[in-house]
Structure formats: C-alpha cells, structure tokens
Amino acid sequence: MSTSQSTTWDDLTVRAVSGVAMTVVGAAGAILGGVWFQMLVVFVTAVMVWELWTMIRPDEPTKGMLLAALAASVMSGELAQVGALWMLLFLIVPVIGASQLRSEVKTFFIFALGIQVAGWGLVNFRNDYGFTWLLWLMSVVIITDIFGYFAGKQLGGPKFWPRISPKKTWSGTIAGWIGAALIGFIFTLFTDAGLWIILLSMLMSFAGQMGDIAESALKRRMGVKDSSALIPGHGGLFDRFDALLGAALFMLLVARVAYVPGVAF
C-alpha cells in the first residue's frame, strides 16, 4: 500500500472501534427503550449542549457544564409531561446561554434549541412507533454515513459544498441516498410499509446530511476541527450525532403533518 493510501485509511481502525462501541451502546438503549433509552438520549443531548457552548466559549467551560446539567433537567422534565405549553421549557437553556454571550447569540440559541427538540423527538418517536421504526431511522443515518464515507474516499470527485464542508463530495452524498433507498427497500420486505418508504428514506438521508452540513458550518465558523475530543476517531458526540439530529427533526415534522401509506405516522 502506498503512503498516500495509508494516510487515507490510517484513521479507519480507530474510527471503526469507536463506531462499534457507540453502536453497541446505542443499540442496547434503543432495544431496551423506556427509561434506558430516555437516559441515553438525555445524556447525549446534555453533552452536545456542552460541546456547543465550548466551541463558542472555550474559555468558560464551567458555564458549559452548568448549561448541560440544566439541559438534562429540562429534557427529563419534558419527557415526563405532555402538552404544547411544556415545550416552552425548551427555551430555558437557549435563552440563558444566549444571555451569557456577547457574540454568536443566535448561533447558540438556534443550535441549543434544535439539539433539545431533536432529542425529545427521538425519545417520543421510539415510544410512539416502537423499536422497528427507530431501527429504520438509525439504519438510514448509519448507512448514509458509511456509504458516503467509502464512496467519498474511493471515488472522490466534485465537492458537495466546499465552502462549508471541504471533504464532502457529490459521490459520497449520492452514495448515501442510494444506501438509504436500500434500507427503505429492505424494510418494505418485513413491514407493512409500501414503496413510499424508499423515497422517505432518501429524504431522511438528505435531512441527516443537512444536519451534518449545519454542524460543519458551525465548526468552520468557530475555527475548530471537532466539537470535542471525547470519541477517538470521531471527535465529539455532536460530530457523531449531527446527522441523527437532522433526521430526527425531519421525522418529527413528518410524524406531525404527513401520512405515509403503510406506516403509522
């Protein structure tokens, strides 16, 4: 193997081991459901709020930890209550965090709100539609990342959005859509979902990619490579779950306003 090839794949082993570990933990929480999945999502949500703050204000980590603890408390309370008015509590962390900033106020507000709502939506999606459809959502996100990673490395080609995410290519992006369509087709074989699930899978794949792009834009704006260094080969939890956030927000919208034949959304 040439030096350039070795450099291209030198992060694959570490990335794979970390990915397997995260997959095992995530799968266990998803399968168990209930309070176990809820605790996992609350933890991940809180950590991502901390990472968001430290990207903006790395000189004040304590405030980030306090905001993360507050986010965990708010999320736990939200999941125990029902009603539109309770959703207003999701404004607590964005408002308090933004009030402590002199710059990037809107950036923190929007991302902190999105992180919390996506986490809340993911837990409710699991509770309302069961493990099978959560597995579908997670499979689409994972296969999009895998297909995109390998196609981008092997095929290269024109960049998808070079000003925001220099490493992402059109070949990787389209490969992600193909992978998502494959997952959708597989789910038509053992569920009541019709062929619409294939198109929906591709749209969700794109939503996940936009979540990834949004976080890439944030990192580029903040001048950082990763949201943190918590996960070897992957950076932070925000780096790993940015696509899942985009997919969760998309499915939260679909579940509220759309009807998909064969799927109880």
Side-chain angles (χ1 to χ4, degrees):
M1 181 180 290
S2 68
T3 302
S4 61
Q5 287 177 316
S6 177
T7 302
T8 299
W9 300 100
D10 61 358
D11 65 334
L12 183 57
T13 300
V14 173
R15 184 180 176 92
V17 171
S18 299
V20 169
M22 286 186 293
T23 300
V24 169
V25 174
I31 292 170
L32 292 171
V35 68
W36 298 103
F37 186 62
Q38 178 176 320
M39 288 192 298
L40 178 62
V41 173
V42 167
F43 170 76
V44 171
T45 299
V47 172
M48 284 192 287
V49 169
W50 169 74
E51 290 177 336
L52 171 63
W53 175 267
T54 55
M55 279 192 285
I56 299 173
R57 291 302 303 266
D59 57 324
E60 295 185 315
T62 301
K63 288 185 178 180
M65 288 186 285
L66 292 173
L67 286 169
L70 182 57
S73 298
V74 169
M75 177 70 72
S76 297
E78 289 282 7
L79 292 171
Q81 302 294 335
V82 179
L85 288 177
W86 286 99
M87 295 292 289
L88 294 175
L89 293 179
F90 280 134
L91 295 174
I92 293 175
V93 172
V95 168
I96 292 177
S99 70
Q100 300 298 306
L101 295 169
R102 292 184 296 273
S103 62
E104 304 299 340
V105 174
K106 292 181 181 179
T107 300
F108 180 84
F109 185 94
I110 292 171
F111 275 93
L113 182 60
I115 288 170
Q116 292 179 100
V117 173
W120 175 86
L122 201 59
V123 173
N124 281 278
F125 189 79
R126 170 65 174 88
N127 292 339
D128 294 344
Y129 305 114
F131 172 72
T132 297
W133 290 110
L134 179 64
L135 176 63
W136 163 70
L137 187 154
M138 295 175 68
S139 297
V140 168
V141 172
I142 292 170
I143 206 67
T144 296
D145 183 57
I146 292 174
F147 272 45
Y149 179 81
F150 283 101
K153 289 284 189 180
Q154 291 284 67
L155 302 178
K159 303 299 182 181
F160 178 73
W161 200 340
R163 289 184 58 189
I164 301 298
S165 186
K167 293 184 179 180
K168 287 181 174 55
T169 62
W170 270 106
S171 62
T173 301
I174 294 173
W177 298 344
I178 294 172
L182 178 61
I183 292 294
F185 174 74
I186 291 173
F187 270 73
T188 65
L189 302 179
F190 65 90
T191 70
D192 294 331
L195 293 178
W196 273 100
I197 199 68
I198 297 176
L199 175 59
L200 188 60
S201 297
M202 296 176 71
L203 291 174
M204 189 167 67
S205 171
F206 180 70
Q209 291 169 336
M210 289 300 98
D212 192 359
I213 289 290
E215 201 247 355
S216 294
L218 173 63
K219 291 189 294 185
R220 196 169 183 82
R221 184 180 179 90
M222 296 300 105
V224 298
K225 181 178 182 294
D226 297 313
S227 61
S228 74
L230 290 177
I231 311 170
H234 291 271
L237 290 182
F238 203 178
D239 298 313
R240 183 63 274 165
F241 294 110
D242 50 5
L244 185 60
L245 293 179
L249 289 172
F250 173 74
M251 285 313 303
L252 183 62
L253 176 64
V254 171
R256 293 294 180 269
V257 304
Y259 166 73
V260 181
V263 183
F265 291 156

